[in-house]
Amino acid sequence: MIIEYIIAMLWSLSPFGEAKVGIPYGMLNGLNIYIVFIICFLSNLLVFPIMLFFLNKINKYLLKWRFYKKSAIFVARKAKTGSGDKIKKYGFWGLIFFVMLPVPGTGVYAGTIATYLFKIEKRKAFLANTIGIFFSSVIVWVVTYFSMKGMA
């Protein structure tokens, strides 16, 4: 049982799923739906400081390698052309909305990259990411809950 909670937590930390996968995983495996929500939300929230540390400290050293630099530039261009205009235009609220959308390519990883690229104040960005993750988690939790009950 504890293993299932750990797996749900790891999905929520993962860039391949975040809480969008961790919450349904835990709920569909019979875990307490409220504990799953809290664990997955907090795990997903933990990504912001970890990613920011990576981008601020480790990224500078990795940019010396050609392959990494090309990949980083590709991701930065995609981020700036994809949702960058909206995030820049709407700032705090745009970042909340961007992180809140429970679809692939949005979430705390993308929100943290946007924070780094657009030089958004870290406290405001953390708050925006927290609010966005919370609403995204609520949406996923509610949809999963009603799907399990056969109402969706």
Side-chain angles (χ1 to χ4, degrees):
M1 176 99 127
I2 191 83
I3 300 288
E4 299 299 330
Y5 282 108
I6 292 170
I7 292 171
M9 184 184 79
L10 291 174
W11 270 119
S12 298
L13 286 168
S14 164
F16 302 110
E18 299 191 26
K20 300 168 207 159
V21 174
I23 290 172
Y25 174 85
M27 291 174 72
L28 293 170
N29 280 291
L31 301 178
N32 181 298
I33 60 175
Y34 304 107
I35 293 174
V36 164
F37 178 86
I38 292 167
I39 287 173
C40 291
F41 168 71
L42 292 175
S43 297
N44 203 188
L45 191 58
L46 190 60
V47 168
F48 184 82
I50 293 169
M51 274 293 292
L52 218 49
F53 173 79
F54 172 82
L55 290 169
N56 286 325
K57 305 289 184 206
I58 300 168
N59 188 44
K60 292 175 183 173
Y61 296 107
L62 293 177
L63 284 172
K64 295 174 186 173
W65 291 334
R66 188 169 185 253
F67 173 76
Y68 179 83
K69 187 174 184 173
K70 284 179 75 173
S71 300
I73 290 171
F74 174 79
V75 169
R77 281 192 184 134
K78 290 285 262 182
K80 284 186 176 184
T81 57
S83 300
D85 293 337
K86 290 174 184 66
I87 292 172
K88 273 186 139 175
K89 182 178 179 181
Y90 298 108
F92 179 80
W93 298 104
L95 189 56
I96 288 174
F97 186 73
F98 180 69
V99 173
M100 181 180 77
L101 293 174
V103 296
T106 65
V108 71
Y109 281 94
T112 308
I113 291 170
T115 298
Y116 179 77
L117 290 176
F118 301 122
K119 312 244 185 290
I120 301 170
E121 182 195 339
K122 291 175 187 36
R123 283 186 180 199
K124 276 187 178 180
F126 180 72
L127 182 59
N129 274 274
T130 301
I131 294 168
I133 295 163
F134 178 77
F135 283 116
S136 177
S137 296
V138 168
I139 292 166
V140 169
W141 186 88
V142 168
V143 168
T144 305
Y145 179 79
F146 284 120
S147 295
M148 289 171 59
K149 297 292 182 192
M151 297 178 183

